Protein backbone atom coordinates (compact mmCIF):
# COMPACT_ATOMS: atom_id res chain seq x y z
CA UNK A 1 0.00 0.00 0.00
CA UNK A 2 1.27 3.45 -0.85
CA UNK A 3 0.11 6.69 0.74
CA UNK A 4 0.88 10.06 -0.82
CA UNK A 5 -0.20 13.58 0.09
CA UNK A 6 -0.68 16.44 -2.37
CA UNK A 7 -0.99 19.81 -0.66
CA UNK A 8 -1.30 21.89 -3.84
CA UNK A 9 -3.87 24.72 -4.09
CA UNK A 10 -4.16 25.02 -0.31
CA UNK A 11 -5.92 21.71 0.27
CA UNK A 12 -4.73 18.31 1.28
CA UNK A 13 -5.43 15.34 -0.98
CA UNK A 14 -4.59 11.80 0.00
CA UNK A 15 -4.16 9.02 -2.51
CA UNK A 16 -4.14 5.36 -1.57
CA UNK A 17 -2.79 2.72 -3.91
CA UNK A 18 -3.26 -0.91 -3.07
CA UNK A 19 -1.51 -3.62 -5.05
CA UNK A 20 -3.77 -6.14 -6.79
CA UNK A 21 -4.41 -8.98 -4.40
CA UNK A 22 -6.27 -12.20 -5.17
CA UNK A 23 -9.05 -12.40 -2.59
CA UNK A 24 -10.74 -15.61 -1.47
CA UNK A 25 -14.21 -16.09 -3.00
CA UNK A 26 -15.98 -15.88 0.37
CA UNK A 27 -14.91 -12.23 0.69
CA UNK A 28 -16.85 -11.09 -2.35
CA UNK A 29 -19.45 -13.80 -3.01
CA UNK A 30 -22.79 -13.25 -1.32
CA UNK A 31 -23.40 -15.58 1.59
CA UNK A 32 -27.02 -16.29 0.82
CA UNK A 33 -29.12 -19.38 0.10
CA UNK A 34 -29.03 -20.89 -3.37
CA UNK A 35 -32.62 -20.74 -4.73
CA UNK A 36 -32.58 -24.20 -6.37
CA UNK A 37 -31.16 -25.85 -3.26
CA UNK A 38 -33.77 -24.09 -1.09
CA UNK A 39 -36.60 -25.25 -3.38
CA UNK A 40 -35.37 -28.85 -3.49
CA UNK A 41 -35.10 -29.03 0.32
CA UNK A 42 -38.49 -27.39 0.85
CA UNK A 43 -40.16 -29.80 -1.61
CA UNK A 44 -38.05 -32.84 -0.61
CA UNK A 45 -36.96 -33.37 -4.20
CA UNK A 46 -33.99 -35.42 -5.40
CA UNK A 47 -31.27 -33.45 -7.22
CA UNK A 48 -28.74 -34.32 -9.90
CA UNK A 49 -25.57 -32.26 -9.90
CA UNK A 50 -21.85 -32.28 -10.62
CA UNK A 51 -19.44 -31.85 -7.72
CA UNK A 52 -15.67 -32.26 -8.13
CA UNK A 53 -16.16 -33.54 -11.69
CA UNK A 54 -18.49 -36.34 -10.56
CA UNK A 55 -22.19 -36.56 -11.40
CA UNK A 56 -24.13 -37.29 -8.22
CA UNK A 57 -27.74 -38.01 -7.28
CA UNK A 58 -28.54 -36.59 -3.87
CA UNK A 59 -31.22 -35.95 -1.28
CA UNK A 60 -30.53 -32.37 -0.08
CA UNK A 61 -30.86 -32.12 3.71
CA UNK A 62 -29.18 -28.99 5.15
CA UNK A 63 -28.18 -25.72 3.52
CA UNK A 64 -26.26 -22.99 5.29
CA UNK A 65 -23.00 -21.21 6.02
CA UNK A 66 -20.09 -23.19 7.41
CA UNK A 67 -16.54 -21.84 7.71
CA UNK A 68 -17.47 -18.68 5.77
CA UNK A 69 -18.86 -20.51 2.72
CA UNK A 70 -22.33 -21.51 1.57
CA UNK A 71 -22.61 -25.29 1.75
CA UNK A 72 -25.03 -28.15 1.22
CA UNK A 73 -25.21 -31.34 3.26
CA UNK A 74 -26.76 -34.15 1.24
CA UNK A 75 -27.35 -37.88 1.35
CA UNK A 76 -25.83 -39.18 -1.88
CA UNK A 77 -27.83 -42.14 -3.16
CA UNK A 78 -26.33 -42.74 -6.63
CA UNK A 79 -23.79 -41.50 -9.13
CA UNK A 80 -20.03 -41.35 -8.85
CA UNK A 81 -18.25 -41.24 -5.50
CA UNK A 82 -14.91 -42.21 -4.03
CA UNK A 83 -16.76 -43.72 -1.05
CA UNK A 84 -19.39 -46.47 -0.79
CA UNK A 85 -22.96 -45.27 -1.36
CA UNK A 86 -25.28 -44.21 0.07
CA UNK A 87 -23.30 -41.75 2.19
CA UNK A 88 -23.32 -38.19 3.53
CA UNK A 89 -21.66 -35.52 1.41
CA UNK A 90 -20.85 -31.94 2.44
CA UNK A 91 -20.36 -29.66 -0.58
CA UNK A 92 -19.44 -26.03 -1.07
CA UNK A 93 -22.18 -24.61 -3.30
CA UNK A 94 -19.70 -22.66 -5.43
CA UNK A 95 -18.07 -26.01 -6.34
CA UNK A 96 -21.37 -27.43 -7.70
CA UNK A 97 -22.44 -27.21 -11.34
CA UNK A 98 -25.19 -28.56 -13.61
CA UNK A 99 -27.72 -28.57 -10.75
CA UNK A 100 -31.13 -30.03 -11.67
CA UNK A 101 -34.12 -30.65 -9.42
CA UNK A 102 -35.70 -33.97 -10.37
CA UNK A 103 -39.39 -34.87 -10.09
CA UNK A 104 -38.64 -37.73 -7.69
CA UNK A 105 -39.14 -36.97 -4.00
CA UNK A 106 -37.68 -38.46 -0.84
CA UNK A 107 -39.34 -39.03 2.56
CA UNK A 108 -37.44 -36.35 4.49
CA UNK A 109 -34.75 -36.13 7.13
CA UNK A 110 -32.78 -39.18 8.14
CA UNK A 111 -32.16 -40.02 11.80
CA UNK A 112 -28.60 -39.28 12.91
CA UNK A 113 -26.92 -39.07 16.26
CA UNK A 114 -26.47 -35.50 17.52
CA UNK A 115 -22.71 -35.93 17.23
CA UNK A 116 -23.07 -36.34 13.44
CA UNK A 117 -24.93 -33.06 12.86
CA UNK A 118 -22.99 -30.23 11.27
CA UNK A 119 -22.60 -27.21 13.55
CA UNK A 120 -23.59 -24.54 11.03
CA UNK A 121 -22.46 -20.93 11.43
CA UNK A 122 -25.90 -20.13 9.98
CA UNK A 123 -28.48 -22.69 8.88
CA UNK A 124 -30.71 -21.46 6.04
CA UNK A 125 -32.99 -24.48 5.78
CA UNK A 126 -33.17 -28.11 6.94
CA UNK A 127 -35.40 -30.76 5.40
CA UNK A 128 -38.27 -31.77 7.67
CA UNK A 129 -38.13 -35.20 9.26
CA UNK A 130 -39.78 -37.99 7.30
CA UNK A 131 -42.83 -38.08 9.59
CA UNK A 132 -43.58 -34.32 9.30
CA UNK A 133 -45.11 -32.37 6.43
CA UNK A 134 -46.75 -35.28 4.65
CA UNK A 135 -47.53 -33.06 1.64
CA UNK A 136 -44.79 -34.72 -0.42
CA UNK A 137 -46.05 -35.59 -3.89
Amino acid sequence: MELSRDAGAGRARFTFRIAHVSLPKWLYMPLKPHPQVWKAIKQRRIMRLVHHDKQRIIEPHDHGILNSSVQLLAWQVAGLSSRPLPNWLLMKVDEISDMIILKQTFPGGRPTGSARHVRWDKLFIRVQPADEGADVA
Side-chain angles (χ1 to χ4, degrees), residues 45-62:
R45 302 259 299 274
I46 301 281
M47 298 182 80
R48 183 177 65 224
L49 51 82
V50 175
H51 178 253
H52 291 175
D53 297 320
K54 293 180 174 125
Q55 183 170 291
R56 303 168 190 266
I57 307 296
I58 57 124
E59 297 175 357
H61 282 258
D62 284 5

Side-chain angles (χ1 to χ4, degrees), residues 38-90:
W38 184 284
K39 180 180 179 180
I41 291 173
K42 186 80 173 155
Q43 297 178 358
R44 297 184 193 172
R45 302 259 299 274
I46 301 281
M47 298 182 80
R48 183 177 65 224
L49 51 82
V50 175
H51 178 253
H52 291 175
D53 297 320
K54 293 180 174 125
Q55 183 170 291
R56 303 168 190 266
I57 307 296
I58 57 124
E59 297 175 357
H61 282 258
D62 284 5
H63 182 38
I65 299 172
L66 180 65
N67 299 326
S68 302
S69 68
V70 178
Q71 300 197 35
L72 168 62
L73 176 66
W75 182 248
Q76 184 176 345
V77 295
L80 298 175
S81 179
S82 57
R83 300 180 301 169
L85 296 178
N87 212 332
W88 290 105
L89 180 62
L90 183 62

Side-chain angles (χ1 to χ4, degrees), residues 66-124:
L66 180 65
N67 299 326
S68 302
S69 68
V70 178
Q71 300 197 35
L72 168 62
L73 176 66
W75 182 248
Q76 184 176 345
V77 295
L80 298 175
S81 179
S82 57
R83 300 180 301 169
L85 296 178
N87 212 332
W88 290 105
L89 180 62
L90 183 62
M91 301 170 277
K92 292 182 178 180
V93 172
D94 65 355
E95 296 175 353
I96 296 172
S97 63
D98 303 328
M99 197 180 305
I100 298 172
I101 299 173
L102 304 176
K103 290 182 182 180
Q104 183 182 356
T105 60
F106 63 100
R110 296 180 171 275
T112 61
S114 60
R116 293 200 50 147
H117 269 287
V118 173
R119 296 198 196 290
W120 296 97
D121 299 328
K122 178 178 174 105
L123 180 64
F124 297 137

